[in-house]
Amino acid sequence: MVSLSPLIKFINFTTFIILAPFFLESAIAEDDDAALKTVREMVNWVRSHGGFMSEKVDIHRMDPSDASSPFGIYAIQDIDENENLFYIPKSLYVSPLGSPQGNITLYNEYICQSAHALMEERKLDYQSKYAPYTRYLDTQKPGALPATYSKAGKDIMRQVFPPGHDAVDWIDKEFKETGCISNDDSFAEHTVALVIQRGFDGTLIPVWDMVNHDNSRVNTDHNPIHSDQGISVHASKKIPMGDQIFSTYDECVDCGAVSSYWGTPEILRDFGFVENYPQRWVYMYEGVWFQLDYDEGNKEFVVIFDEGEPKEDYWGIPTEEAVQFLRNELRRLDELAVTVLKTPPNQIPEHEWNTILQFHRATGVALREAIKTVENDNGKAE
């Protein structure tokens, strides 16, 4: 999945202005953008093999003047509610037979099988039956996920995540130490990362994996991805020309109960970006679950705790012990801000450093707002 990271101005994030490339004189020529050419070839391949992509949408760079900018899919004409956008037949999926199981060990085995299946297809290059798709995947550079950062980036990001979180070390622990891939195989490591970042529970789906995530702007819906016929995607609302096409990576028809234990830190772990508001923050072992949104009208943050009846079915408002954990985490992050994060190491890539700072700031905002809400006794029931 292509990662969208719209970053919010009130916490000093950078914003993107989305404009269609044909309106920008500075747009780079498609012939000079090798990755964009592979995208066009992939779309033609999907259409010629029983798939569908609406003529009312187009794939281009979020910043058309920058060949390193992420891709997005945009409406180039007004789109009606329920209008068909994509259809990808199951024959074009890259995955092992079957579907992933709920058990984490079996799930990781499935991811391992998917990674090896993708490695074989990537090695075949033009001989692969998925060649237009795998050649597009080959344009994706390593290092997008924290688990594939430089050593300097990993060392710092590991300190920003909550203690014990697997965001930086999951490839080592779940795929190298188990023998799925070898320790010194960078091609295999990158392929495992691609399966997680661009896949849907280990299943890679061309074109659909380029639809970006934003839970505040979701405008699509689809059938289960493991349906026998493949995936059909339609507009869940009217989409004006120029708007980007969005889905959700954690509240989808296939997502199950993931929202009960998975949130903004896990989005970063698995997809490589800090998501826009609304965000979800889950500290499972401390019994903390809350959503954080920003009310543009009132210019204020809104914290929503998980409350309801019967109480045992909900996380509830954090206990004093849990709030103390949040305070301790905030103090730890504040200390990092004036020590480790004060100056970037010379050997850390710029995108790693920027993402680390973004996540540090986002976490700090979330913790402060959650603590403030509990202390003010303003927790709003969901």
Side-chain angles (χ1 to χ4, degrees):
M1 301 180 187
V2 179
S3 298
L4 172 66
S5 181
L7 304 174
I8 312 304
K9 60 185 178 182
F10 37 77
I11 45 178
N12 296 320
F13 287 173
T14 302
T15 56
F16 288 107
I17 298 175
I18 307 301
L19 294 172
F22 38 82
F23 292 134
L24 295 179
E25 293 183 0
S26 59
I28 57 175
E30 287 199 15
D31 289 345
D32 296 329
D33 189 339
L36 185 56
K37 287 198 289 185
T38 66
V39 169
R40 302 294 185 226
E41 292 169 359
M42 176 181 64
V43 170
N44 290 337
W45 170 71
V46 167
R47 285 171 168 160
S48 67
H49 285 72
F52 168 77
M53 176 172 146
S54 171
E55 298 290 348
K56 293 186 177 182
V57 300
D58 182 50
I59 302 172
H60 59 75
R61 300 281 185 183
M62 291 172 62
D63 178 356
S65 65
D66 181 2
S68 66
S69 174
F71 285 110
I73 303 184
Y74 296 88
I76 56 175
Q77 299 179 42
D78 290 340
I79 297 172
D80 291 330
E81 184 176 359
N82 294 321
E83 190 166 345
N84 292 330
L85 299 175
F86 315 102
Y87 166 64
I88 312 298
K90 209 165 185 179
S91 60
L92 301 186
Y93 290 13
V94 181
S95 68
L97 294 176
S99 60
Q101 305 297 314
N103 180 283
I104 187 63
T105 301
L106 294 177
Y107 174 80
N108 285 336
E109 289 178 1
Y110 186 85
I111 298 299
C112 179
Q113 294 170 19
S114 293
H116 280 278
L118 180 57
M119 277 188 272
E120 291 305 310
E121 297 301 333
R122 292 180 69 196
K123 290 174 183 177
L124 287 172
D125 198 16
Y126 279 111
Q127 300 305 311
S128 169
K129 68 176 183 177
Y130 306 103
Y133 181 43
T134 58
R135 287 182 64 79
Y136 165 69
L137 293 177
D138 286 342
T139 68
Q140 305 304 294
K141 296 180 179 179
L145 303 186
T148 60
Y149 277 9
S150 64
K151 183 181 184 303
K154 286 182 178 181
D155 289 345
I156 296 175
M157 185 64 98
R158 194 178 289 111
Q159 297 179 66
V160 178
F161 268 89
H165 201 288
D166 68 348
V168 174
D169 301 305
W170 62 268
I171 292 181
D172 291 346
K173 292 180 179 179
E174 304 295 342
F175 296 93
K176 292 183 179 180
E177 293 177 10
T178 60
C180 174
I181 61 174
S182 61
N183 288 328
D184 57 353
D185 190 339
S186 59
F187 178 78
E189 178 180 278
H190 181 43
T191 304
V192 170
L194 283 174
V195 168
I196 293 294
Q197 183 187 9
R198 307 195 63 85
F200 304 82
D201 284 340
T203 298
L204 292 110
I205 306 176
V207 177
W208 177 236
D209 73 347
M210 300 188 72
V211 177
N212 290 324
H213 163 91
D214 190 323
N215 280 339
S216 69
R217 295 190 280 177
V218 176
N219 51 18
T220 59
D221 201 358
H222 61 89
N223 63 323
I225 64 170
H226 293 294
S227 300
D228 290 341
Q229 69 271 28
I231 184 172
S232 296
V233 183
H234 63 268
S236 60
K237 62 180 72 173
K238 288 186 176 181
I239 306 175
M241 182 178 68
D243 277 11
Q244 187 171 171
I245 308 302
F246 286 108
S247 68
T248 172
Y249 294 176
D250 57 0
E251 296 179 359
C252 60
V253 66
D254 297 293
C255 290
V258 70
S259 63
S260 67
Y261 58 85
W262 206 79
T264 300
E266 290 69 42
I267 289 281
L268 173 56
R269 177 193 64 194
D270 291 354
F271 301 110
F273 65 96
V274 180
E275 67 178 332
N276 198 358
Y277 296 112
Q279 297 173 346
R280 186 185 311 110
W281 298 83
V282 184
Y283 298 89
M284 184 176 297
Y285 297 110
E286 287 72 31
V288 177
W289 185 106
F290 66 93
Q291 289 191 358
L292 179 67
D293 207 347
Y294 187 75
D295 185 337
E296 289 284 356
N298 293 317
K299 304 299 181 186
E300 64 180 8
F301 287 100
V302 178
V303 172
I304 301 175
F305 294 112
D306 187 39
E307 297 183 88
E309 296 292 341
K311 290 185 177 180
E312 58 268 23
D313 291 343
Y314 298 85
W315 290 82
I317 295 177
T319 63
E320 178 53 38
E321 182 180 3
V323 174
Q324 188 57 49
F325 163 80
L326 298 180
R327 293 189 188 106
N328 292 340
E329 270 296 280
L330 185 56
R331 279 195 290 269
R332 188 180 68 81
L333 292 176
D334 287 344
E335 178 64 22
L336 286 178
V338 296
T339 54
V340 175
L341 300 180
K342 193 171 183 180
T343 306
N346 292 330
Q347 64 271 36
I348 191 169
E350 183 179 7
H351 83 274
E352 293 181 12
W353 182 249
N354 289 339
T355 304
I356 289 168
L357 293 182
Q358 291 164 13
F359 183 58
H360 177 269
R361 286 193 289 262
T363 308
V365 169
L367 293 176
R368 284 187 178 86
E369 293 301 322
I371 293 167
K372 183 172 69 175
T373 301
V374 174
E375 291 176 344
N376 292 341
D377 197 25
N378 281 332
K380 296 182 180 180
E382 186 175 50

